[in-house]
Amino acid sequence: MAGEKATRGGIVHARIREDIFQGVLRPGQRLRLVELAQRFSVSQSVVREALTRLSEQGLVHAAPQQGFSVVTVSLDDLNDLTEARVELETLVLRRAIERGDIKWEAAVVAAHHHLAALDPVRPDGTLDNDWFTVHERFHQTLLEACGNTRLLAAALSLRDAATLYRRWSRPVGHDVDRDVAGEHQQLVDAVLRRDADGAADLLARHIDRTSEALRTVIEKDPAAVV
């Protein structure tokens, strides 16, 4: 019985998480136990456990006497995180370009080839989770030859912290006209030319573009800001 409850809880957790990533559940939206329990045909306790887990993962806000809600977009956090990522990721990329060997170049090309073969958006208009997984692998590969495990770990930790903002850039930020594939191709070309300055500039603009889409939404919808 306990195992069955855990399985149901895992399914509810996964589906709510996906709805948050897809923008179906909007920033700041209340998550009512009764409604979600009815939707998923489970008990409120199963929903509560799933929401508590999502809260621990930073996707849901839990407030005493108020219940659960989707986290909001914090402009201050977005700006701080973007600045930190630009500073650190471009530094690590420069080190990788300076220190990377031919095997690293081949790994970058292979990771990009895999990414370029996928479309971030499914035919039904929803985001493709496989693309995001491969996308993260591509960006990690770009940085892996930096030769400093602590710098790499710090850069990847900041990327993890930006996951929700990255996922929201299209469904919440409405950044639908962006040529992401072109941006990735330019990055690879600069890396293979060993153009550290050019690659760093491209990466900085690549990171900030995602944040800018959300900043625009925040200006129009103050309710999305904390």
Side-chain angles (χ1 to χ4, degrees), residues 28 61 70-78 165 218 221-226:
H61 177 65
V70 180
V71 294
T72 50
V73 178
S74 166
L75 183 58
D76 288 340
D77 181 58
L78 176 64
Y165 292 143
I218 290 171
D221 181 13
V225 187
V226 293

Side-chain angles (χ1 to χ4, degrees), residues 9-10 21 34 40 69 72 79 81 92 99 134 136 139 151 153 183 209-211 214 221 226:
F21 279 158
V34 173
F40 296 117
S69 60
T72 50
N79 288 335
L81 183 55
V92 176
R99 299 172 177 177
V134 176
E136 284 311 295
H139 276 280
L151 278 176
E183 293 175 29
R209 171 65 185 265
T210 299
S211 299
L214 291 173
D221 181 13
V226 293

Side-chain angles (χ1 to χ4, degrees), residues 181-215:
E183 293 175 29
H184 290 147
Q185 183 63 64
Q186 289 179 326
L187 261 173
V188 172
D189 292 343
V191 164
L192 296 181
R193 291 196 307 270
R194 298 291 175 146
D195 179 5
D197 289 340
D201 180 64
L202 288 166
L203 182 57
R205 286 190 277 134
H206 184 66
I207 292 170
D208 192 65
R209 171 65 185 265
T210 299
S211 299
E212 185 58 33
L214 291 173
R215 290 189 194 106

Side-chain angles (χ1 to χ4, degrees), residues 153-168:
L156 295 179
S157 177
L158 288 175
R159 286 197 61 83
D160 284 344
T163 297
L164 183 56
Y165 292 143
R166 192 157 49 246
R167 292 292 300 255
W168 271 351

Side-chain angles (χ1 to χ4, degrees), residues 30 62-68:
R30 289 288 300 275
Q65 310 303 320
Q66 297 180 19
F68 298 92

Side-chain angles (χ1 to χ4, degrees), residues 10-21:
I11 293 172
V12 171
H13 167 272
R15 291 181 63 179
I16 295 175
R17 180 176 181 269
E18 179 68 5
D19 281 350
I20 292 173
F21 279 158

